[in-house]
Amino acid sequence: MQQSHIVRKRGNDANIEYAPAKRSKTSYDLSPITPLAERLRPSTLSEFVGQSHLTRPDSLLMNAIRNDSLGSLIFWGPPGCGKTTLARLIAQETKSIFKELSATVVGINDVRLVFEEAKNAFRLTGRKTTLFLDEVHRFNKSQQDVFLPFVEQGHIQLIGATTENPSFKLTGALLSRCRVFTLDRLADDAIEEIIRNAIHRLTSKIDIDDESTLLSSPASFPETSDISDSRLTSSPSEISTPKSPLSASQQKDVPFPTFPHISYKVLRSIISLSTGDARCALSLLDLAKSAPLDVSESQLVEELRRSVSSSYDRSGDGRYDMISALHKSVRGSNVDAAMYWLARMLGAGEDPLYIARRMVVCASEDVGLADAQALPLAIAGLQACQMIGMPECRINLAHVVAYLAEAPKSTRSYEAYNRALAVAQTDMTLPVPLRIRNAPTHLMRDLGYAEGYRYNPDYTHPVYNEYMPSQLEGHLFMRKPDDLSGKLWDESALCEWETKVNGGQRWEGRKHTSSDVTVAP
């Protein structure tokens, strides 16, 4: 039953309330003004596609639902992976009152109102309220603190959905009160199944609409009735599919005879362009099915491709995942992988200066003392990006990335600093030895500053000065180039490299390996 302000759906054990912006749609509510992805949302868990690690019968989530011990949840996953749909379906399986809000259109005062209503409902009826809060990361950390007492006391079960990393966007206090479930990007097989299910439902809708038109229009009946009674009394599931414009032999070459212009190539293009986003896939399908039947396959594919923008988010986790992949590929001397990630980032519109700055860091952190030209080259690449800009500076970045990936690697200076930092932080008050202190005044010289210091260039031979605090005398932070102490020897990892990278040949460094290495368990 629909009302002007809210929709209530009552079942045996649930009282579910949806805000108008998130009104639930049944499988037959195919209003043309609603996006296809919203019209075709699954109505039961059995229709839900993907995320089997959460929806299979023996999963922790399903067991928690069956035992009525769901608690508060955070669904973390990319757009179009099923977070909202799964939350709605879970609501149908619980015994709580369900309400739904989106942090993009409501403020914290609206959430407080729901919390107070939930608290009163719990006192009066003993029933909890489940609040699905979409885009929960849009609330800042002080606003998220409002959730804490209600979630902790059990007056409300919060199901938050976010595309951002909860570790960075949600407070630790809120995370400690919720279980985080990760939803993965949908696989190509899952996207194909969603598309096929959608076309099946659209085809069934066309059948029903055609039959309704036939039965309701007087002009559709001939003057001498020759329509059998069985035709008039058949159920919608028994109504035959409308005739395809293709012949029987041609129908074998297309996946969907009702939409003959959606060929196998178009289907594969939709799957590829959606990049695991079910909402995007259904939007592309909506475009494709609306195209003229005589449109050429290549033209339709090209138009679909142009309708999709890059999903690269320069403020999201994907950016940091890709720069991490680029850095690790350079560190691992895999120049092909490094070039791929460089092309991915630049092709998606990444700021070349962001990449160039990381390569300057990489030149010292990973190449270091093994190649003294790495750092000057990386800095030159950064300056080239500043002066030239895109698209030409992509050539400079490719130059830098290739050089660093193929250069020998040494982390001696980086590791030496880390060892020194660990020791320095144990006592930051150790005094500087008097011999190496600065003595710009007579008073300082009278106090013994710089007394006994030997100026090294004055001597033809090495001389000793007390450079370290006496408590740290003898500490060694910088290792010798051939010092492998503390390094790992992992036979399984080496064999994998020899098989996948070295063409099955044994690594030539096996015979030169020091006995000081630590054997990995």
Side-chain angles (χ1 to χ4, degrees), residues 158-387:
L158 175 67
I159 303 181
T162 177
T163 58
E164 302 290 341
N165 191 329
S167 301
F168 302 133
K169 296 296 184 177
L170 302 183
T171 64
L174 181 60
L175 287 177
S176 71
R177 293 163 172 80
C178 300
R179 306 174 190 175
V180 177
F181 289 92
T182 302
L183 282 76
D184 302 324
R185 163 182 156 171
L186 293 174
D188 288 353
D189 291 343
I191 293 294
E192 181 175 355
E193 183 178 352
I194 290 171
I195 293 173
R196 291 183 178 276
N197 291 343
I199 291 181
H200 174 73
R201 292 177 64 180
L202 289 171
T203 303
S204 300
K205 173 62 178 175
I206 292 174
D207 295 344
I208 295 172
D209 288 346
D210 288 349
E211 181 67 12
S212 299
T213 301
L214 177 65
L215 297 180
S216 62
S217 175
S220 64
F221 291 93
E223 294 182 1
T224 57
S225 178
D226 57 356
I227 301 176
S228 64
D229 292 340
S230 62
R231 171 65 172 170
L232 296 174
T233 59
S234 60
S235 64
S237 61
E238 296 171 333
I239 300 173
S240 60
T241 303
K243 292 184 178 180
S244 169
L246 302 179
S247 63
S249 60
Q250 290 175 318
Q251 290 184 28
K252 297 179 181 179
D253 299 327
V254 295
F256 314 110
T258 308
F259 304 103
H261 56 299
I262 303 181
S263 63
Y264 285 105
K265 182 178 180 180
V266 173
L267 175 62
R268 290 193 299 269
S269 297
I270 292 175
I271 295 171
S272 175
L273 292 171
S274 67
T275 61
D277 184 336
R279 187 181 295 107
C280 178
L282 292 175
S283 297
L284 290 171
L285 174 63
D286 203 10
L287 285 175
K289 75 178 182 63
S290 302
L293 295 182
D294 59 351
V295 66
S296 67
E297 183 180 68
S298 59
Q299 180 183 352
L300 180 55
V301 169
E302 181 61 25
E303 290 181 355
L304 290 175
R305 184 176 293 111
R306 290 179 178 179
S307 71
V308 177
S309 62
S310 171
S311 61
Y312 185 78
D313 183 2
R314 287 172 56 179
S315 64
D317 292 337
R319 181 194 204 194
Y320 304 106
D321 289 341
M322 285 195 190
I323 196 65
S324 175
L326 172 59
H327 193 151
K328 289 180 172 66
S329 299
V330 171
R331 177 184 297 151
S333 298
N334 192 323
V335 65
D336 300 305
M339 283 296 173
Y340 170 77
W341 294 117
L342 173 65
R344 276 281 300 273
M345 296 184 75
L346 290 179
E350 181 57 76
D351 182 2
L353 293 177
Y354 175 70
I355 301 173
R357 286 192 291 267
R358 176 57 74 95
M359 291 300 99
V360 172
V361 174
C362 181
S364 290
E365 178 183 345
D366 298 296
V367 178
L369 300 176
D371 189 337
Q373 298 302 315
L375 182 57
L377 179 67
I379 293 175
L382 174 61
Q383 293 173 339
C385 291
Q386 291 171 333
M387 292 186 294

Side-chain angles (χ1 to χ4, degrees), residues 36-57:
L36 186 64
E38 182 68 21
R39 286 183 262 155
L40 299 182
R41 284 189 187 273
S43 57
T44 63
L45 278 172
S46 61
E47 297 176 3
F48 189 84
V49 178
Q51 315 302 340
S52 59
H53 63 291
L54 298 179
T55 58
R56 64 174 182 260

